[in-house]
Amino acid sequence: MIISPSILACDFLNIESELKNLERIENLWLHLDIMDGHFVPNLTFGHPVVEMIAKITNIKLDAHLMVTNPEFYLETFQNYNIHNITFHLESTKDILSLIKKAKKIYPSVGISLKPKSSEELLTKELLSLVNLVLVMSVEPGFAGQKFIPESIQRIERIKKLKKDLRLDFMIQVDGGVSDKNSKELKNAGAKNLVAGSYIFKKDGQSYSEKINSLRSSQK
Ligand code: DX5
Ligand code: ZN
């Protein structure tokens, strides 16, 4: 199970030491929430910050783009060693050609569904191109929101679709993930869990303990 800590919830003033604390943990992606204040109400950071992060860490970078003009980011993000880049299905008129272009640049390319997005947008042609499908389990925009339980059934449906179509993408879940739902998410078919607040909230447990409990939770 890949765990993707979302730095939206980390201590930005001490990001270097935050990343050092994650560095020795295996099978991690570093989840970067790129929000433009248009596609979602919140505004985070863009390529200058991603460039700096890329310089100080060797954790695989996972960029989640919540932006209205993804074509611009496709170009500007290309030199920062990003491993996976995920676009929202509704962020552009022609998602298929965006994904085709992204596949030429990035090792892994994903598409994301918001909680209210129609699964009909997941065409066979699109699914056969992507490496990852991101199921948002909160409305995108903010860390620390409550997990939407219907996301479990959505993951199960997408897992079935993947099997029926004999495809090979990975299912990632993002929003309100914790040790309370990680087991259920895993059983439903998620192979990659994004977690912000659960990992970074200061409660005496180390990041590695938290990540272990996401991986092995019996709750
Ligand atoms: C929400 C972001 C998430 C968020 C997750 O729009 O895409 O990645 O940071 O944070 P938690 O785990 O706190 O819900
Ligand atoms: Zn995210």
Side-chain angles (χ1 to χ4, degrees):
M1 173 78 91
I2 297 175
I3 306 293
S4 302
S6 163
I7 62 163
L8 197 56
C10 86
D11 176 2
F12 254 93
L13 289 182
N14 294 296
I15 191 156
E16 199 157 7
S17 77
E18 291 279 61
L19 298 184
K20 281 278 162 295
N21 286 332
L22 294 170
E23 215 110 275
R24 265 161 287 150
I25 306 170
E26 278 176 32
N27 236 352
L28 287 193
W29 288 6
L30 194 67
H31 189 78
L32 309 171
D33 286 303
I34 314 298
M35 304 185 188
D36 67 352
H38 293 280
F39 187 76
V40 289
N42 200 6
L43 179 69
T44 57
F45 49 86
H47 60 93
V49 172
V50 173
E51 183 176 13
M52 285 184 224
I53 291 171
K55 280 187 190 140
I56 61 166
T57 188
N58 47 34
I59 307 173
K60 282 183 177 168
L61 301 179
D62 172 28
H64 173 196
L65 300 191
M66 289 157 272
V67 298
T68 48
N69 53 341
E71 286 80 8
F72 167 80
Y73 295 80
L74 192 72
E75 308 273 323
T76 53
F77 276 40
Q78 64 185 336
N79 300 319
Y80 311 135
N81 208 15
I82 287 174
H83 176 69
N84 177 71
I85 191 162
T86 296
F87 300 99
H88 273 264
L89 282 165
E90 298 96 339
S91 66
T92 175
K93 285 196 196 83
D94 191 355
I95 187 82
L96 220 76
S97 80
L98 180 75
I99 298 297
K100 283 180 188 160
K101 282 186 211 152
K103 292 273 292 177
K104 295 199 178 113
I105 306 175
Y106 302 93
S108 170
V109 176
I111 42 165
S112 178
L113 292 143
K114 296 193 275 188
K116 294 192 190 88
S117 302
S118 163
E119 282 159 36
E120 284 174 20
L121 297 170
L122 298 175
T123 61
K124 185 179 177 188
E125 191 178 11
L126 187 59
L127 288 175
S128 58
L129 284 173
V130 295
N131 305 93
L132 178 146
V133 173
L134 166 55
V135 173
M136 287 302 302
S137 40
V138 298
E139 274 307 322
F142 300 90
Q145 302 182 76
K146 209 169 148 273
F147 180 81
I148 299 173
E150 290 76 23
S151 315
I152 302 277
Q153 288 81 48
R154 170 164 276 190
I155 294 165
E156 287 168 347
R157 286 192 298 274
I158 295 175
K159 186 188 174 187
K160 181 167 186 306
L161 192 60
K162 172 180 157 175
K163 189 169 172 245
D164 294 347
L165 297 173
R166 294 166 199 244
L167 294 174
D168 196 27
F169 55 81
M170 183 197 295
I171 302 177
Q172 184 183 51
V173 197
D174 183 7
V177 172
S178 73
D179 60 345
K180 304 261 183 317
N181 52 27
S182 58
K183 187 160 187 248
E184 215 182 341
L185 290 167
K186 186 177 161 187
N187 291 342
K191 292 265 188 280
N192 184 320
L193 304 181
V194 177
S197 320
Y198 173 71
I199 292 175
F200 289 107
K201 85 175 162 254
K202 306 272 179 270
D203 59 4
Q205 264 194 301
S206 70
Y207 297 161
S208 116
E209 284 169 328
K210 301 255 189 93
I211 289 164
N212 280 341
S213 29
L214 286 178
R215 287 198 170 120
S216 61
S217 176
Q218 297 305 310
K219 286 174 193 167

